[in-house]
Amino acid sequence: MSALIAEDEIVHEVDLVWLEDISRLDYVRQSLDRLPTRRGRPAYHRDGRMVGYALLGPKAKPSRSSGTFRRRVFWLLPHDRDTAPDGLYARGAPAEAVDARTLAPGIKGRKTERSEGGPMSSAMRGLLP
């Protein structure tokens, strides 16, 4: 899904709210959900857990047909690497997963060696806070 998120769909983001320490997570899944408000913690209806969400600024317009706003939600499933390090995603990551440390408001993020289950390169370590 992350490849399907276009920059123009997230241009009105003003902040990302993290519910967990993202420095401990190799990756997070991201999706664009239809939500009733620009701000506030959205309801979560998936297996697993929500680890963060985006807040939209006042210029974000609701859908004409549904009245909802498209906002990013970041989440993990029970079989993801943080809870099952030797499981399905010991190497590699789900299609919609990105390294949370590459995300920012209006920036869709990307996969890294860390998110793919490999060692972090010295170049990548130099980019991170």
Side-chain angles (χ1 to χ4, degrees):
M1 281 188 209
S2 64
L4 302 178
I5 295 176
E7 298 288 339
D8 65 337
E9 293 179 295
I10 57 176
V11 69
H12 295 294
E13 290 180 347
V14 294
D15 200 8
L16 301 181
V17 175
W18 295 107
L19 305 173
E20 295 186 22
D21 179 359
I22 60 171
S23 70
R24 297 177 176 262
L25 301 173
D26 291 347
Y27 63 80
V28 296
R29 296 172 186 254
Q30 68 176 340
S31 59
L32 274 174
D33 291 359
R34 292 208 172 272
L35 300 170
T37 62
R38 288 180 185 92
R39 303 180 71 77
R41 184 175 177 158
Y44 184 73
H45 303 290
R46 293 180 178 88
D47 287 341
R49 67 193 195 275
M50 179 171 51
V51 295
Y53 54 90
L55 302 178
L56 302 179
K59 293 183 180 181
K61 303 289 184 222
S63 163
R64 290 184 196 171
S65 60
S66 68
T68 58
F69 297 88
R70 289 179 54 101
R71 287 174 51 196
R72 279 194 295 179
V73 175
F74 306 101
W75 46 285
L76 291 167
L77 292 175
H79 61 272
D80 280 323
R81 191 180 312 141
D82 69 306
T83 53
D86 297 322
L88 178 62
Y89 294 113
R91 294 279 179 228
E96 68 272 16
V98 294
D99 186 330
R101 296 167 307 161
T102 68
L103 293 163
I107 305 295
K108 63 183 180 176
R110 65 186 186 281
K111 291 189 184 299
T112 63
E113 287 178 85
R114 178 181 172 142
S115 68
E116 290 294 306
M120 193 181 309
S121 68
S122 58
M124 187 64 201
R125 282 192 299 273
L127 294 174
L128 299 175

